[in-house]
Amino acid sequence: AARFAELNGCARAEGFDPAGVKQPLNRWILSEAAQAAEEIAAGIPSFKFNEAAGAAYRFVWNQFCDWYLELAKPILQGEGVDAAERVETQATVAYVIDLIAQLLHPFMPFLTEELWAQKAGVGAPRKSGPGDAALVCLTRWPDLSALKDAAAEAEIGFVVDLISDIRSVRSEVNVPAGTQAPLVLVNASAATRATIESWRPMIERLARVSEIAFETAAPAQSAQIIVRGEVAALPLAGLIDLDAERARLAKELAKLDQDIAVVEKKLGNPDFMARAPEEIVEENRERKAAAEARKAKIAEALARLA
């Protein structure tokens, strides 16, 4: 991520004020950083290190690397955007990478110090923002509460959830990876229509959508998805053999029922529970939980194909 930022001209900007950011995508990542900073700061003093590390991981890996940088690529690479938007995004990326160094520092002190130093350059003057100290360990923990932005989270969060759910449904019902499918929004609100129009090219590219339409009812033979209260539908006629797919899912569901029954029989056997090592018992519990989670997913897929 740091290398990608460097290659796209994302450097610490003098006078950069995160509170003055205008683009929804940039306001969203700053808001998510604020949430992560709070969760990490709550987890460490209460000795819930797994929760603190999990919050850091989710923010850096999922939100920043998986989504923010991917959604920001067209802006950073100058695809039909104005100069001010690109400059703001470059400065936001650099600012957030500084924040990431601070948030990861309790878990990865050596790497974060190295990146902090490299970003400034040897002997280079520090600019504004979190990068004004010589070492990460000398900075104050960031207070980002003023950067929380419900409107930006509603807009970008909807786009992220929509793309994620479309990918999940495509996988569940076995739509071929290279096949593009149309997307229909059913009775979409004005806010959702505006969000879709703003992010249409990105949704089409990342979700492999051929076109997006707004209708008053879902088309026949479509898989329906509920995303933050909005209904989206993927028409599947002609993309997959619906009867064959229902049969495949029903067969997998029956196999999972058998697997769960075998594990339940073991866990319900007092002799097995008394003799088996704890790690074997735990492994069987995890197998059962995984099978039940998969069963729920298949049941959802079958309901969509009903």
Side-chain angles (χ1 to χ4, degrees):
R3 178 66 70 196
F4 172 82
E6 183 180 301
L7 293 173
N8 284 276
C10 304
R12 289 169 176 160
E14 189 169 4
F16 175 72
D17 178 12
V21 162
K22 294 181 172 59
Q23 297 303 317
L25 180 61
N26 295 330
R27 299 201 325 265
W28 172 73
I29 196 61
L30 290 166
S31 181
E32 294 298 330
Q35 182 64 33
E38 280 190 8
E39 291 177 13
I40 297 166
I44 291 176
S46 60
F47 303 104
K48 296 178 180 177
F49 303 124
N50 60 320
E51 292 181 10
Y57 187 97
R58 282 191 303 275
F59 173 67
V60 177
W61 184 269
N62 297 119
Q63 292 165 323
F64 184 73
C65 293
D66 270 2
W67 287 108
Y68 175 69
L69 291 183
E70 189 64 35
L71 294 172
K73 276 181 183 177
I75 303 170
L76 294 172
Q77 294 165 1
E79 298 175 16
V81 298
D82 61 38
E85 185 177 354
R86 184 165 187 260
V87 167
E88 179 189 280
T89 303
Q90 288 172 323
T92 303
V93 171
Y95 182 86
V96 175
I97 287 181
D98 274 339
L99 290 176
I100 285 172
Q102 292 179 289
L103 300 182
L104 290 183
H105 189 69
F107 313 100
M108 307 169 68
F110 302 109
L111 179 59
T112 49
E113 289 291 7
E114 180 68 16
L115 286 175
W116 187 270
Q118 284 192 23
K119 281 194 65 189
V122 178
R126 290 307 200 274
K127 302 296 184 183
S128 61
D132 58 1
L135 297 170
V136 184
C137 63
L138 298 181
T139 65
R140 289 183 178 277
W141 188 259
D143 179 5
L144 308 172
S145 54
L147 300 180
K148 286 191 175 181
D149 192 318
E153 197 287 324
E155 177 177 340
I156 307 302
F158 176 81
V159 172
V160 168
D161 288 352
L162 177 64
I163 295 170
S164 299
D165 287 352
I166 292 171
R167 288 173 171 175
S168 178
V169 168
R170 287 175 58 103
S171 174
E172 286 168 9
V173 299
N174 223 21
V175 176
T179 301
Q180 289 194 318
L183 174 67
V184 176
L185 276 297
V186 182
N187 293 320
S189 65
T192 296
R193 282 175 174 262
T195 298
I196 293 291
E197 293 302 340
S198 295
W199 293 95
R200 180 185 288 267
M202 190 62 71
I203 294 169
E204 290 175 345
R205 181 168 71 84
L206 295 181
R208 295 186 182 274
V209 168
S210 57
E211 60 178 326
I212 302 175
F214 298 93
E215 304 290 350
T216 56
Q221 296 185 329
S222 62
Q224 295 189 42
I225 312 164
I226 308 298
V227 184
R228 300 196 176 200
E230 297 284 356
V231 179
L234 284 177
L236 298 173
L239 297 180
I240 61 173
D241 183 330
L242 292 170
D243 290 335
E245 188 55 29
R246 289 190 195 101
R248 183 188 71 82
L249 290 171
K251 185 176 179 181
E252 187 176 349
L253 199 61
K255 175 68 167 59
L256 286 167
D257 282 335
Q258 290 178 356
D259 292 345
I260 291 169
V262 169
V263 176
E264 283 180 340
K265 187 175 180 181
K266 279 187 180 180
L267 295 176
N269 184 335
D271 189 52
F272 172 80
M273 295 297 286
R275 294 172 178 273
E278 180 57 35
E279 60 268 23
I280 299 298
V281 173
E282 188 57 34
E283 180 185 327
N284 276 273
R285 287 177 178 145
E286 289 174 1
R287 280 179 55 199
K288 181 187 174 188
E292 287 175 338
R294 177 64 184 155
K295 183 179 172 182
K297 284 284 186 185
I298 292 175
E300 285 179 15
L302 279 169
R304 289 191 178 104
L305 294 175

